[in-house]
Amino acid sequence: GPKVLQIPSHQIIDMGQMVTLNCDPVSNHLYFYWYKQILGQQMEFLVNFYNGKVMEKSKLFKDQFSVERPDGSYFTLKIQPTALEDSAVYFCASSPDWGGAYTQYFGPGTRLLVL
Amino acid sequence: DAKTTQPDSMESTEGETVHLPCSHATISGNEYIYWYRQVPLQGPEYVTHGLQQNTTNSMAFLAIASDRKSSTLILPHVSLRDAAVYHCILRTYSGGSNAKLTFGKGTKLSVKS
């Protein structure tokens, strides 16, 4: 199926530092998503993004989080500053539209460890 | 908000046909039924989806009850690589605040050789 890429696959940083997670969505997709999964727990929605704007965010999307997609480049999740509880696997997804008829495709995840 | 009910776990043997049930008694007329699967340390993989009619693809057959209050994902001739957590998720046709996927615990499918 369509491929979503995520860079890096792993990231280890010290608490308080900034981190940027990169997502290369499917080329013709217009809607982008970030999800968070703590080891052994359920996947949880963070945010979705379309046309340069956040369309919906969950309570997990703290003020320290931001997303953007400068033209033609990666869809990014930035955390500044990081906290210990941000340690998790972050999954990016994309879809051509956001209705229920349009499938979201996921990347392999970035494993973030905050020390 | 979960709106679907699945067994916590199921066991199978290689080569068998597996039936994974999902109950969604309060499904709305504009909600699609999606199935994803996830193996540890990997992203969710899309399996199939449907609205009213049964659907089939190279991975699975989705049988949807005539009243749409339940569905069954049928995996023919399972192999070890089919071992995963399978999630049954409802998504509204119109998107909006329901554009996100809401994952539950899903059904953990074990496959023995």
Side-chain angles (χ1 to χ4, degrees), chain B residues 13-17 76-79 111-112:
Chain B
T13 303
E14 276 193 298
E16 287 183 341
T17 295
H77 310 299
V78 294
S79 67
V111 181
K112 298 182 296 184

Side-chain angles (χ1 to χ4, degrees), chain B residues 5-10 19-23 35 86 105-109:
Chain B
T5 302
Q6 299 177 252
D8 289 340
S9 63
M10 292 184 66
H19 293 72
L20 299 173
C22 181
S23 172
W35 285 83
Y86 287 78
K105 294 181 179 179
T107 296
K108 183 176 182 179
L109 176 66

